[in-house]
Amino acid sequence: MTLIQARGLVKAYGRTPALHGIDLDLAEGEILAVTGPSGSGKSTLLHCLAGILAPDAGEVHYDGRRLDTASEATRSRLRRSDFGVLFQFGMLVSELTAAENVALPLLLTGAGREESRETALTWLARLGVADVADALPGQMSGGQAQRCATARALVTEPRVLFADEPTGALDTLAGEELLGLVASLARERRMSVVLVTHNPVVAGYADRELVLLNGSVDPTGLGSTLRGAL
Ligand SMILES: Nc1ncnc2c1ncn2[C@@H]1O[C@H](COP(=O)(O)OP(=O)(O)OP(=O)(O)O)[C@@H](O)[C@H]1O
Ligand SMILES: [Mg+2]
């Protein structure tokens, strides 16, 4: 089943073109890697698909509903209930502990305090960082903080995870290990993932790789996995 369908996405920032007409289908449970050189439009595409940014032209459909023209209120409700987002720097709230950070998305969808904390602790344990539950972000290593941010992105059990260079701030091994864990959690839950990455090993966890070049899909499809092997 197709969960996200994008057709003819065009986006420019003033006179700087970013996307030139991208078509994309994301199936339920599919892990899609988006790769390509810096400035090729990867983040812009991800933001359009997640309903964070409105394209100048083209359409985005999520689960049969038009997303790009939906109201901000509708899009943000959908993001909270159905989407998880994870960025290069985890962006944890520095005044809150790990457990409080992870519980936050649940509280925002109306869950109770006790229940939210319990679920948050379960997800911290799944990500291997139960021991920092009561630590503040400033007291954690970069890897621990990113695992907490990952727990926060997954705690609502989203149908789609959008991740933009989620391990860019970690060393190679820590990053690959975390993405391997995310991929196996996604497979267990039939969660779809759109994963922007420069790392061919990380792209290797995906079912498919979409290569962008100057705001278009690279017609050669010569992804980083293949390029790395040449
Ligand atoms: N907020 C912005 N204002 C102006 N131009 C922007 C903005 N964001 C992106 N751009 C431009 O749009 C194009 C696509 O940028 P985008 O951030 O989508 O690329 P990217 O593939 O994610 O790059 P990177 O790998 O460096 O993160 C680039 O030319 C970039 O300079
Ligand atoms: Mg980017």
Side-chain angles (χ1 to χ4, degrees):
M1 189 200 114
T2 301
L3 200 53
I4 294 187
Q5 186 181 58
R7 288 291 175 271
L9 291 185
V10 173
K11 179 73 189 172
Y13 299 95
R15 286 190 183 161
T16 309
L19 299 179
H20 281 295
I22 305 265
D23 296 334
L24 181 152
D25 288 289
L26 182 73
E28 186 170 24
E30 184 177 29
I31 303 181
L32 175 73
V34 178
T35 63
S38 185
S40 57
K42 305 181 295 295
S43 297
T44 305
L45 174 62
L46 186 131
H47 289 139
C48 287
L49 296 177
I52 296 168
L53 200 62
D56 300 331
E59 299 184 1
V60 179
H61 296 259
Y62 169 71
D63 201 15
R65 283 165 287 175
R66 181 94 184 249
L67 179 64
D68 57 293
T69 50
S71 70
E72 174 52 37
T74 303
R75 283 182 287 125
S76 79
R77 198 172 340 109
L78 192 66
R79 282 201 300 273
R80 277 182 191 167
S81 61
D82 287 35
F83 297 168
V85 292
L86 189 58
F87 296 117
Q88 179 169 3
F89 298 101
M91 299 196 299
L92 294 170
V93 181
S94 59
E95 296 80 7
L96 299 181
T97 65
E100 288 166 345
N101 264 284
V102 177
L104 204 54
L106 296 171
L107 294 170
L108 289 173
T109 54
R113 280 196 167 273
E114 282 299 307
E115 181 199 344
S116 299
R117 179 169 168 89
E118 284 305 308
T119 312
L121 293 176
T122 305
W123 277 95
L124 285 169
R126 276 188 191 130
L127 271 301
V129 281
D131 51 327
V132 298
D134 295 315
L136 294 169
Q139 301 167 323
M140 299 173 205
S141 73
Q144 288 169 333
Q146 198 59 338
R147 281 169 179 262
C148 292
T150 307
R152 189 179 60 181
L154 297 179
V155 73
T156 56
E157 310 232 0
R159 290 180 77 193
V160 189
L161 175 69
F162 294 97
D164 195 349
E165 304 266 12
T167 57
L170 303 183
D171 70 53
T172 314
L173 195 62
E176 289 167 6
E177 208 177 272
L178 177 53
L179 261 303
L181 182 57
V182 170
S184 71
L185 288 168
R187 303 239 181 258
E188 267 172 45
R189 292 172 165 69
R190 280 189 65 71
M191 176 175 73
S192 306
V193 183
V194 182
L195 171 65
V196 172
T197 182
H198 278 121
N199 182 334
V201 174
V202 168
Y205 290 125
D207 297 307
R208 189 158 63 94
E209 185 173 350
L210 185 82
V211 188
L212 294 188
L213 210 55
N214 296 321
S216 299
V217 176
D218 180 358
T220 71
L222 201 62
S224 61
T225 316
L226 190 53
R227 268 200 305 272
L230 293 176

